[in-house]
Amino acid sequence: MKQFILGLVLVAMQYTVNSGEMLQSIAEQYCQGDDLRQVAEFREGIRELNYDVIGESDV
C-alpha cells in the first residue's frame, strides 16, 4: 500500500473588479506560475464561485 500526503488549501478573498479588467487578467495576477492550463483552471474557478453574479458574461 502506498501512502500519499495530500494538502488542500482553500483561500477566500473579496476582490473588486476595476473597469477594463477581465477574468483572465485577474487569474494571471493571482495564479502562481506561467502554466496556461493552470491559469485557465483558476479563471474558471473564479467564474464558478461567482456564477450567480457574473453567469456566462465576460468580466
XYZ file of all heavy atoms in Angstrom:
468
model
N 0.845 -1.168 0.000
C 0.000 0.000 0.000
C 0.898 1.241 0.000
O 1.832 1.330 0.777
C -0.905 0.010 1.227
C -1.738 1.257 1.280
S -2.703 1.540 2.789
C -3.390 -0.017 3.177
N 0.587 2.186 -0.873
C 1.336 3.436 -0.923
C 0.603 4.492 -0.120
O -0.620 4.524 -0.081
C 1.492 3.912 -2.361
C 2.343 3.001 -3.200
C 2.519 3.567 -4.588
C 3.380 2.635 -5.414
N 3.580 3.146 -6.766
N 1.376 5.354 0.506
C 0.783 6.449 1.261
C 1.166 7.760 0.590
O 2.299 7.950 0.155
C 1.270 6.433 2.696
C 0.811 5.221 3.460
C 1.229 5.279 4.913
O 1.913 6.194 5.347
N 0.817 4.295 5.676
N 0.205 8.622 0.523
C 0.416 9.930 -0.070
C 0.011 11.007 0.917
O -0.915 10.826 1.703
C -0.434 10.098 -1.337
C -0.064 9.147 -2.439
C -0.744 7.968 -2.618
C 0.982 9.445 -3.292
C -0.412 7.092 -3.627
C 1.327 8.580 -4.307
C 0.631 7.404 -4.481
N 0.700 12.083 0.853
C 0.326 13.251 1.644
C -0.372 14.216 0.692
O 0.189 14.617 -0.330
C 1.555 13.929 2.274
C 2.242 12.961 3.239
C 1.141 15.214 2.979
C 3.551 13.476 3.788
N -1.587 14.534 1.024
C -2.359 15.452 0.203
C -2.613 16.716 0.993
O -3.003 16.661 2.146
C -3.694 14.824 -0.208
C -3.614 13.512 -0.985
C -5.005 12.949 -1.194
C -2.920 13.732 -2.314
N -2.404 17.820 0.370
C -2.681 19.090 1.028
C -3.654 19.889 0.188
O -3.534 19.967 -1.022
N -4.629 20.434 0.820
C -5.612 21.255 0.139
C -5.766 22.533 0.932
O -6.065 22.489 2.122
C -6.946 20.515 0.029
C -8.099 21.265 -0.599
C -7.763 21.605 -2.055
C -9.357 20.436 -0.540
N -5.535 23.621 0.278
C -5.649 24.910 0.944
C -6.730 25.698 0.225
O -6.675 25.890 -0.987
C -4.313 25.688 0.890
C -4.466 27.042 1.536
C -3.217 24.887 1.553
N -7.715 26.113 0.969
C -8.781 26.931 0.409
C -8.642 28.339 0.969
O -8.609 28.538 2.171
C -10.146 26.364 0.768
C -10.428 24.953 0.268
C -11.777 24.479 0.778
C -10.387 24.901 -1.239
N -8.570 29.276 0.086
C -8.448 30.665 0.491
C -9.558 31.440 -0.193
O -9.720 31.367 -1.407
C -7.076 31.251 0.084
C -7.004 32.723 0.431
C -5.958 30.474 0.732
N -10.306 32.156 0.573
C -11.361 33.003 0.012
C -10.994 34.447 0.267
O -10.519 34.810 1.346
C -12.696 32.673 0.660
N -11.180 35.243 -0.754
C -10.909 36.668 -0.592
C -11.916 37.437 -1.418
O -12.519 36.896 -2.344
C -9.492 37.025 -1.026
C -9.187 36.761 -2.486
S -7.526 37.222 -2.962
C -7.644 38.978 -3.000
N -12.094 38.664 -1.073
C -13.001 39.528 -1.811
C -12.172 40.418 -2.723
O -11.135 40.945 -2.317
C -13.826 40.369 -0.853
C -14.904 41.155 -1.522
C -15.817 41.822 -0.512
O -15.555 41.807 0.684
N -16.886 42.405 -0.989
N -12.610 40.572 -3.951
C -11.884 41.359 -4.937
C -12.878 42.239 -5.671
O -13.922 41.768 -6.132
C -11.159 40.442 -5.925
C -10.330 41.179 -6.941
C -9.032 41.564 -6.644
C -10.843 41.506 -8.186
C -8.260 42.244 -7.572
C -10.085 42.185 -9.114
C -8.791 42.548 -8.802
O -8.034 43.233 -9.723
N -12.589 43.509 -5.775
C -13.430 44.424 -6.522
C -12.849 44.574 -7.917
O -11.688 44.966 -8.077
C -13.496 45.812 -5.835
O -13.996 45.636 -4.503
C -14.391 46.761 -6.601
N -13.650 44.249 -8.911
C -13.206 44.324 -10.293
C -13.225 45.769 -10.749
O -14.221 46.465 -10.596
C -14.120 43.465 -11.195
C -13.696 43.562 -12.648
C -14.115 42.028 -10.728
N -12.106 46.205 -11.295
C -11.994 47.559 -11.814
C -12.371 47.594 -13.284
O -12.296 46.587 -13.988
C -10.561 48.073 -11.633
C -10.168 48.161 -10.179
O -10.852 48.779 -9.376
N -9.083 47.510 -9.818
N -12.741 48.753 -13.746
C -13.103 48.937 -15.144
C -11.961 48.472 -16.048
O -10.801 48.799 -15.819
C -13.405 50.413 -15.400
O -13.718 50.627 -16.755
N -12.290 47.675 -17.059
C -11.294 47.199 -18.006
C -10.662 45.874 -17.637
O -9.953 45.294 -18.445
N -10.900 45.374 -16.437
C -10.323 44.095 -16.033
C -11.159 42.942 -16.569
O -12.362 43.063 -16.766
C -10.233 43.981 -14.510
C -9.165 44.831 -13.900
C -9.014 44.574 -12.429
O -10.021 44.586 -11.702
O -7.875 44.378 -12.002
N -10.490 41.821 -16.810
C -11.160 40.606 -17.266
C -10.788 39.472 -16.323
O -9.786 39.557 -15.601
C -10.713 40.269 -18.687
C -11.043 41.337 -19.697
S -10.598 40.887 -21.397
C -8.906 40.411 -21.260
N -11.579 38.410 -16.342
C -11.257 37.258 -15.503
C -9.864 36.737 -15.802
O -9.143 36.324 -14.902
C -12.286 36.139 -15.701
C -13.654 36.354 -15.080
C -14.557 35.161 -15.380
C -13.555 36.556 -13.579
N -9.480 36.771 -17.067
C -8.155 36.290 -17.460
C -7.058 37.088 -16.767
O -6.117 36.519 -16.213
C -7.988 36.368 -18.988
C -6.654 35.861 -19.479
C -6.486 34.360 -19.321
O -7.455 33.610 -19.292
N -5.250 33.910 -19.240
N -7.166 38.418 -16.771
C -6.116 39.238 -16.155
C -6.088 39.063 -14.638
O -5.022 39.070 -14.025
C -6.294 40.717 -16.521
O -7.518 41.226 -16.032
N -7.252 38.875 -14.044
C -7.310 38.643 -12.597
C -6.674 37.297 -12.268
O -5.880 37.183 -11.333
C -8.763 38.707 -12.095
C -9.329 40.117 -12.309
C -8.848 38.303 -10.629
C -10.822 40.215 -12.120
N -6.992 36.273 -13.056
C -6.415 34.944 -12.830
C -4.902 34.979 -12.990
O -4.171 34.385 -12.193
C -7.032 33.932 -13.791
N -4.422 35.675 -14.012
C -2.972 35.780 -14.220
C -2.291 36.484 -13.059
O -1.177 36.156 -12.682
C -2.693 36.524 -15.520
C -3.032 35.720 -16.756
C -2.952 36.533 -18.034
O -2.720 37.760 -17.978
O -3.123 35.938 -19.115
N -2.977 37.458 -12.474
C -2.418 38.213 -11.356
C -2.274 37.355 -10.103
O -1.296 37.466 -9.376
C -3.327 39.415 -11.060
C -2.865 40.291 -9.938
C -3.817 41.466 -9.707
O -4.728 41.719 -10.487
N -3.618 42.177 -8.631
N -3.236 36.476 -9.854
C -3.245 35.717 -8.610
C -2.764 34.279 -8.739
O -2.479 33.630 -7.742
C -4.647 35.732 -7.984
C -4.948 37.060 -7.363
C -5.618 38.041 -8.072
C -4.525 37.346 -6.072
C -5.874 39.280 -7.507
C -4.770 38.574 -5.494
C -5.451 39.541 -6.225
O -5.691 40.753 -5.671
N -2.682 33.764 -9.938
C -2.254 32.389 -10.143
C -0.735 32.345 -10.184
O -0.097 33.095 -10.918
C -2.840 31.856 -11.442
S -2.594 30.106 -11.655
N -0.156 31.447 -9.421
C 1.291 31.340 -9.379
C 1.782 30.532 -10.571
O 1.196 29.529 -10.932
C 1.736 30.680 -8.084
C 1.364 31.480 -6.867
C 1.723 30.757 -5.588
O 2.314 29.694 -5.607
N 1.356 31.337 -4.464
N 2.832 30.983 -11.181
C 3.419 30.261 -12.305
C 2.915 30.760 -13.638
O 2.007 31.580 -13.724
N 3.496 30.234 -14.689
C 3.150 30.649 -16.040
C 2.448 29.548 -16.824
O 2.351 29.615 -18.042
C 4.425 31.063 -16.797
C 5.056 32.303 -16.194
O 4.318 33.146 -15.666
O 6.290 32.424 -16.270
N 1.947 28.545 -16.149
C 1.275 27.432 -16.796
C -0.099 27.908 -17.288
O -0.979 28.229 -16.491
C 1.132 26.270 -15.822
C 0.513 25.035 -16.430
O 0.079 25.080 -17.599
O 0.466 24.013 -15.726
N -0.290 27.944 -18.613
C -1.531 28.454 -19.182
C -2.746 27.635 -18.760
O -3.828 28.186 -18.543
C -1.428 28.495 -20.711
C -0.379 29.448 -21.273
C -0.348 29.351 -22.795
C -0.647 30.872 -20.831
N -2.564 26.328 -18.613
C -3.671 25.486 -18.179
C -4.074 25.809 -16.748
O -5.260 25.882 -16.420
C -3.275 24.015 -18.296
C -4.386 23.076 -17.911
C -3.988 21.644 -18.118
N -5.039 20.770 -17.623
C -4.920 19.480 -17.504
N -3.801 18.886 -17.868
N -5.906 18.752 -17.054
N -3.097 26.044 -15.897
C -3.371 26.380 -14.506
C -4.104 27.716 -14.415
O -5.043 27.861 -13.639
C -2.069 26.423 -13.712
C -2.268 26.615 -12.233
C -0.943 26.607 -11.471
O 0.128 26.675 -12.056
N -1.033 26.524 -10.168
N -3.684 28.685 -15.215
C -4.353 29.990 -15.225
C -5.795 29.828 -15.704
O -6.724 30.412 -15.128
C -3.583 30.999 -16.104
C -4.372 32.286 -16.276
C -2.216 31.292 -15.508
N -6.008 29.020 -16.752
C -7.359 28.792 -17.269
C -8.249 28.133 -16.217
O -9.420 28.502 -16.057
C -7.301 27.937 -18.531
N -7.706 27.162 -15.492
C -8.477 26.498 -14.438
C -8.790 27.471 -13.299
O -9.887 27.452 -12.745
C -7.720 25.286 -13.918
C -7.674 24.148 -14.905
C -6.844 22.968 -14.427
O -6.297 23.024 -13.304
O -6.742 21.987 -15.189
N -7.852 28.321 -12.971
C -8.064 29.322 -11.923
C -9.164 30.293 -12.348
O -10.056 30.625 -11.575
C -6.755 30.061 -11.656
C -6.753 30.875 -10.395
C -6.436 30.294 -9.185
C -7.051 32.222 -10.421
C -6.416 31.042 -8.013
C -7.036 32.982 -9.270
C -6.727 32.389 -8.058
N -9.110 30.726 -13.623
C -10.113 31.650 -14.169
C -11.502 31.031 -14.098
O -12.455 31.663 -13.664
C -9.764 31.991 -15.616
C -10.750 32.947 -16.275
C -10.524 33.054 -17.769
N -10.828 31.769 -18.396
C -10.025 31.145 -19.254
N -8.864 31.671 -19.599
N -10.379 29.992 -19.782
N -11.615 29.769 -14.509
C -12.917 29.117 -14.480
C -13.380 28.856 -13.048
O -14.574 28.852 -12.778
C -12.886 27.831 -15.302
C -12.733 28.103 -16.787
C -13.728 29.134 -17.320
O -14.945 28.991 -17.074
O -13.291 30.089 -17.991
N -12.440 28.673 -12.131
C -12.798 28.548 -10.719
C -13.404 29.834 -10.186
O -14.383 29.812 -9.428
N -12.853 30.966 -10.598
C -13.419 32.265 -10.208
C -14.844 32.370 -10.734
O -15.766 32.776 -10.025
C -12.563 33.430 -10.746
C -11.175 33.436 -10.118
C -13.275 34.767 -10.496
C -10.205 34.417 -10.772
N -15.020 31.987 -12.012
C -16.356 32.052 -12.613
C -17.346 31.162 -11.856
O -18.468 31.572 -11.565
C -16.312 31.645 -14.075
C -17.683 31.733 -14.767
C -17.680 31.284 -16.203
N -16.770 32.029 -17.032
C -16.977 33.266 -17.496
N -18.078 33.900 -17.167
N -16.088 33.860 -18.267
N -16.943 29.934 -11.541
C -17.830 29.013 -10.843
C -18.233 29.539 -9.467
O -19.388 29.430 -9.076
C -17.165 27.652 -10.691
C -17.109 26.848 -11.958
C -16.416 25.510 -11.758
O -16.332 25.049 -10.604
O -15.959 24.939 -12.763
N -17.269 30.092 -8.748
C -17.566 30.603 -7.409
C -18.458 31.832 -7.436
O -19.103 32.160 -6.438
C -16.259 30.932 -6.678
C -15.421 29.728 -6.273
C -14.056 30.183 -5.764
C -16.129 28.903 -5.217
N -18.496 32.527 -8.560
C -19.262 33.766 -8.667
C -20.326 33.704 -9.750
O -20.789 34.726 -10.247
C -18.302 34.929 -8.960
C -17.346 35.148 -7.826
O -17.694 35.742 -6.835
N -16.132 34.621 -7.971
N -20.741 32.482 -10.090
C -21.665 32.305 -11.201
C -22.978 33.057 -10.999
O -23.551 33.588 -11.945
C -21.943 30.821 -11.433
C -22.678 30.567 -12.723
C -21.986 30.528 -13.931
C -24.057 30.405 -12.744
C -22.638 30.317 -15.122
C -24.723 30.193 -13.939
C -24.011 30.153 -15.119
O -24.678 29.954 -16.302
N -23.453 33.141 -9.771
C -24.707 33.834 -9.501
C -24.608 35.326 -9.807
O -25.614 35.990 -10.052
C -25.151 33.610 -8.057
C -24.132 34.078 -7.035
O -22.909 33.952 -7.308
O -24.535 34.538 -5.954
N -23.404 35.872 -9.836
C -23.195 37.292 -10.108
C -22.863 37.540 -11.572
O -23.415 38.446 -12.203
C -22.064 37.861 -9.214
C -21.792 39.313 -9.550
C -22.390 37.679 -7.747
N -21.954 36.724 -12.139
C -21.474 37.012 -13.491
C -22.027 36.081 -14.561
O -22.000 36.424 -15.739
C -19.933 36.999 -13.561
C -19.368 35.633 -13.147
C -19.347 38.106 -12.742
C -17.867 35.529 -13.291
N -22.502 34.922 -14.191
C -23.044 33.989 -15.176
C -22.032 33.669 -16.256
O -20.859 33.451 -15.989
N -22.469 33.681 -17.509
C -21.608 33.379 -18.638
C -21.010 34.635 -19.263
O -20.246 34.546 -20.217
C -22.396 32.611 -19.704
C -22.826 31.227 -19.286
C -21.652 30.279 -19.061
O -20.640 30.400 -19.770
O -21.761 29.417 -18.183
N -21.364 35.793 -18.742
C -20.878 37.033 -19.351
C -19.398 37.255 -19.081
O -18.813 36.682 -18.178
C -21.680 38.225 -18.826
O -21.462 38.388 -17.448
N -18.802 38.098 -19.888
C -17.403 38.468 -19.689
C -17.308 39.504 -18.585
O -18.206 40.308 -18.396
C -16.804 39.053 -20.975
C -16.641 37.989 -22.058
O -16.438 36.816 -21.699
O -16.720 38.351 -23.239
N -16.213 39.499 -17.905
C -15.979 40.494 -16.853
C -14.948 41.465 -17.377
O -13.963 41.086 -17.946
C -15.477 39.825 -15.557
C -15.084 40.875 -14.541
C -16.522 38.907 -15.000
